[in-house]
Amino acid sequence: MSTMRRVRQVPSGTGSGPRDRIPARPRPDALAAVGLVLLLAVLVLLSLLIGTGSTSMGGAWDYLTGEQAARADARLRLAVMDVRLPRTLAGVLVGVCLGIAGCLLQAATRNPLAETGLLGVNSGAAFAVVLGLTYFDASSPAALMVWALLGGTAASAIVLLLAASGRAAGSPLRLVLVGSALGATFHGLTSYVLLGTRSTYDTYRYWTIGSLAGTETADLLPLLAPAALGLLVALGSARPLSALGLGDEGARSLGHHPGRIRLVVAGAVSLLVGCAVAVAGPIAFLGLLAPYAARALTGARMTAQLVLSALIAADVMLLADILARVVIRPWETPVSVLLAFVGGPLLVWIARSSRLSTAGASA
């Protein structure tokens, strides 16, 4: 009697073949990115609808939706297209630049509390603005933006040259020390120039508070090229920075040069922060808090950290600017004041957090 092998029937959908695999769940960072993009779209719309003037949200909505009478209203066009739209674009640009710059700096230094002002860019920009106001009659917003960008770039170039020399070239400690020392020097020079110039001090005081008010579209166009260059360098640095998260020796074993990585990153940070400072003046905390929040969502994935840092910072910047228009309406609160009001307590909480020791940017 011959034996017959029984073939076990496997119900469809329960096998282990390629077609029967359970679909992977979306990663938390992907879901977070989608949510942040949707939030950014909502905030952009609110930024176009809300202002400090007498223009109503309904009138602005009619203009945006193409209502014929609203489009013929010159006052509505001025409020929406000439005042709020450039300000909204500036908020997105500043947020993206500061978010990515902070993420790069924290990854390069492996310090979760590293802030974008450590390279002396803010102080260099402030000193250049004071020089332009005092000796070159640079009183227009466009002129102040040019001087701020030149000063921030020059300061970062000096920091890079000094940090690249010597036996410890490109080390994170050397970058921070040189940047802090140069920042203190520029701060002292700025105070010295301001002592004898009352009119310069009044204008400088308004600029250094940090605000998006008065931004025009023409002021943003010259900054697009350096900002785009900084973003491209940042994305290209994601893989080397991931290797750097393993430590300098680990990065060298993978064929990377830690000193060169940090110098390239510092150059990108300088471009990004220079553009942000040129538009809005010195903005504190945003470049520190956005990367920290991004790491909590992404873990060690560097590219995801960069993307989420940019989105989080842009959302926070726009939200703070919208609130700045309505907190004490009809007057306006500087956006940096709101960011500092929220950022200060958060920074204390982060410093006391048990996760701080493991929150540094890693591979």
Side-chain angles (χ1 to χ4, degrees):
M1 179 176 165
S2 61
T3 59
M4 298 181 61
R5 295 182 180 178
R6 294 183 179 179
V7 180
R8 184 179 179 183
Q9 297 290 334
V10 179
S12 59
T14 60
S16 58
R19 295 184 180 179
D20 298 322
R21 291 177 182 173
I22 299 175
R25 294 181 179 179
R27 295 192 316 192
D29 53 353
L31 295 176
V34 173
L36 290 170
V37 169
L38 294 177
L39 177 60
L40 182 62
V42 172
L43 291 173
V44 166
L45 178 60
L46 290 177
S47 181
L48 295 176
L49 295 177
I50 299 174
T52 57
S54 58
T55 302
S56 66
M57 292 182 63
W61 174 259
D62 290 339
Y63 184 89
L64 291 175
T65 54
E67 201 273 330
Q68 187 174 1
R71 285 298 176 98
D73 192 333
R75 183 174 58 86
L76 280 176
R77 175 176 177 81
L78 175 66
V80 176
M81 301 302 295
D82 297 337
V83 176
R84 298 178 188 174
L85 179 60
R87 183 168 181 165
T88 302
L89 296 176
V92 174
L93 177 65
V94 170
V96 169
C97 288
L98 290 180
I100 291 183
C103 186
L104 289 175
L105 187 59
Q106 292 179 15
T109 60
R110 296 199 296 275
N111 181 358
L113 295 182
E115 207 266 333
T116 51
L118 286 179
L119 294 183
V121 180
N122 291 350
S123 299
F127 180 58
V129 166
V130 169
L131 290 180
L133 287 170
T134 305
Y135 302 110
F136 298 93
D137 195 24
S139 57
S140 67
L144 292 180
M145 291 174 67
V146 171
W147 279 95
L149 182 60
L150 292 176
T153 305
S156 63
I158 296 173
V159 170
L160 293 180
L161 289 175
L162 294 177
S165 62
R167 300 174 60 181
S171 69
L173 179 60
R174 190 180 184 91
L175 276 173
V176 171
L177 289 178
V178 172
S180 299
L182 190 66
T185 302
F186 279 135
H187 181 72
L189 292 174
T190 300
S191 299
Y192 173 77
V193 175
L194 288 174
L195 285 176
T197 51
R198 175 66 181 272
S199 60
T200 298
Y201 176 74
D202 291 337
T203 306
Y204 169 77
R205 182 177 57 182
Y206 175 79
W207 176 84
T208 196
I209 286 176
S211 175
L212 297 176
T215 304
E216 298 180 1
T217 304
D219 299 333
L220 301 176
L221 295 179
L223 302 177
L224 295 181
L229 178 60
L231 293 177
L232 290 176
V233 174
L235 293 176
S237 303
R239 186 173 181 180
L241 283 174
S242 295
L244 195 62
L246 301 174
D248 287 7
E249 292 301 324
R252 290 190 184 95
S253 67
L254 295 176
H256 297 284
H257 193 291
R260 293 175 185 173
I261 295 173
R262 292 191 178 98
L263 293 179
V264 170
V265 166
V269 169
S270 302
L271 286 174
L272 294 170
V273 177
C275 291
V277 171
V279 174
I283 300 293
F285 293 111
L286 192 58
L288 185 153
L289 298 176
Y292 188 88
R295 278 194 302 274
L297 295 170
T298 65
R301 292 182 294 273
M302 195 64 222
T303 302
Q305 284 185 33
L306 289 171
V307 173
L308 288 192
S309 293
L311 291 174
I312 291 172
D315 285 342
V316 172
M317 189 69 190
L318 272 186
L319 178 60
D321 187 51
I322 293 171
L323 292 177
R325 309 175 201 179
V326 299
V327 169
I328 55 173
R329 184 185 283 180
W331 295 278
E332 185 172 328
T333 305
V335 65
S336 62
V337 173
L338 291 178
L339 288 174
F341 181 77
V342 176
L346 284 177
L347 179 59
V348 173
W349 177 80
I350 290 173
R352 293 174 57 86
S353 173
S354 59
R355 297 179 55 192
L356 181 61
S357 59
T358 58
S362 56

